[in-house]
Amino acid sequence: NDKQSGARQFPRYQPAMNANSRGLMLLRSDLYQALDKDQLSVVYQPKISLRTGLIVGAESLLRWKHDSLGMISPETFIPLAETSGLIEPIGEWVLATASAQRKCWQREGVPPFLLSVNLSGRQLHQAMLADKIKHILDVSGIEPTDLELEITETFLIQDIDNSVKLLNELKALGIKLSIDDFGTGYSSLNYLNRLPIDTLKIDRSFVKELPQSRERLDLVRNVIQLSHDLGMSVVAEGVETQAQLDTLNTLNCDEIQGYFYSPPVSAGQFRALLENQPLIGKEYLQH
Ligand code: C2E
Ligand code: MG
Ligand code: MG
Ligand code: MG
């Protein structure tokens, strides 16, 4: 009858889908208050030079501790922030917080390092982004050359002409730029060479298969070689094992980041890492 055929139009999994999207909607509305409620924080993950074994940089990573749900992954809430107009204020807060921390350590005589902050593709579309970044740098008092912005490959290749224009504006501030998650966007390096990029970060999905996968090994070797030819340095993300470190060392990779040396840690813990260098024993360094 009519009732039955009507009921059949609704797939069985719909309640679950509703629960999920409803959950995300609630989460989004909570995110509006996260800044005011002091639920956001920044953690730091070291980048280590394979030449010196020293910490040469740190990636700032955002954390959200929800009052009833606990820690929410950035993989969940960054997309929510991006689709609700919150990524701009949140992104500015991360930059201001990390820059102030960097300046504080500088004053205290803690060893210097390049501070990296992730920039969402959405933020690139923000009006007067370069002016806003310059203002945040001026307020914090750090040098532009001490800051690097990480921008994901997939975003940069969506509209390469526009990316060239926007990145040139940022470069003019004197800051450094890196391509994040390289390899996930299927673009060639020669294509990306139009962008004013200082550093390329090889996505951890590639590092994961080193050294077992012959194919990945050749690919990473070529990426590193070509990056160097184009004047870029290379950071490998997601280094978790000694074997991966050894392989990347042999392939002439410049820096590594990953759980093998340290997960992202609180500011206090990061400071302790900076003061207890080198993290890599001499036996593993490039000669
Ligand atoms: P990402 O920029 O590629 O950051 C690296 C991610 O890899 C971080 O995840 C880090 O914790 C994780 N990671 C580091 N070493 C290892 C390892 O050895 N093994 C594995 N499996 N993972 C490792 P996290 O902190 O969860 O952040 C995820 C993503 O969220 C980031 O990827 C970035 O795209 C985004 N994100 C985080 N903080 C911010 C932020 O302040 N602004 C923006 N726009 N995006 C952010
Ligand atoms: Mg990043
Ligand atoms: Mg990455
Ligand atoms: Mg990523």
Side-chain angles (χ1 to χ4, degrees), residues 148-283:
E148 175 184 69
L149 296 177
E150 298 189 3
I151 310 167
T152 55
E153 180 201 5
T154 39
F155 179 80
L156 291 174
I157 58 179
Q158 280 166 22
D159 182 352
I160 194 91
D161 292 325
N162 199 36
S163 294
V164 171
K165 185 179 141 272
L166 292 168
L167 294 200
N168 279 327
E169 283 174 30
L170 294 179
K171 244 347 251 187
L173 296 175
I175 65 177
K176 297 189 172 76
L177 297 174
S178 74
I179 301 185
D180 206 351
D181 305 342
F182 181 78
T184 55
Y186 304 101
S187 53
S188 81
L189 259 177
N190 281 317
Y191 182 65
L192 292 171
N193 191 33
R194 292 183 51 203
L195 301 167
I197 296 287
D198 303 277
T199 301
L200 180 144
K201 297 187 76 180
I202 299 178
D203 191 68
R204 67 169 187 258
S205 58
F206 291 82
V207 173
K208 201 179 162 91
E209 292 176 56
L210 297 181
Q212 319 82 263
S213 163
R214 184 75 223 180
E215 201 185 317
R216 286 289 158 105
L217 189 70
D218 289 341
L219 190 129
V220 170
R221 178 187 292 111
N222 289 336
V223 166
I224 293 173
Q225 183 61 56
L226 189 54
S227 298
H228 287 165
D229 291 347
L230 297 173
M232 290 187 275
S233 66
V234 180
V235 178
E237 302 186 309
V239 177
E240 295 183 356
T241 68
Q242 181 73 63
Q244 289 166 350
L245 171 85
D246 292 342
T247 307
L248 290 159
N249 201 9
T250 311
L251 298 181
N252 252 329
C253 185
D254 302 282
E255 295 167 30
I256 57 158
Q257 180 181 347
Y259 298 163
F260 187 66
Y261 279 104
S262 173
V265 294
S266 70
Q269 289 169 303
F270 184 69
R271 186 200 159 119
L273 289 178
L274 283 170
E275 288 172 333
N276 286 290
Q277 302 189 58
L279 297 184
I280 300 185
K282 282 230 167 13
E283 59 274 29

Side-chain angles (χ1 to χ4, degrees), residues 42-43 45 59-63 73-79 82 87 90-91 94-95 117-121 123 150 152 180-181 201 203-204 208 237-241 244 257-264:
V42 179
V43 288
Q45 186 176 35
E59 177 169 10
S60 319
L61 293 157
L62 186 56
R63 293 293 177 260
S73 164
E75 313 267 6
T76 303
F77 75 80
I78 293 288
E82 287 175 333
I87 195 66
I90 289 178
V94 174
L95 181 60
V117 174
N118 289 287
L119 193 75
S120 157
Q123 285 176 273
E150 298 189 3
T152 55
D180 206 351
D181 305 342
K201 297 187 76 180
D203 191 68
R204 67 169 187 258
K208 201 179 162 91
E237 302 186 309
V239 177
E240 295 183 356
T241 68
Q244 289 166 350
Q257 180 181 347
Y259 298 163
F260 187 66
Y261 279 104
S262 173

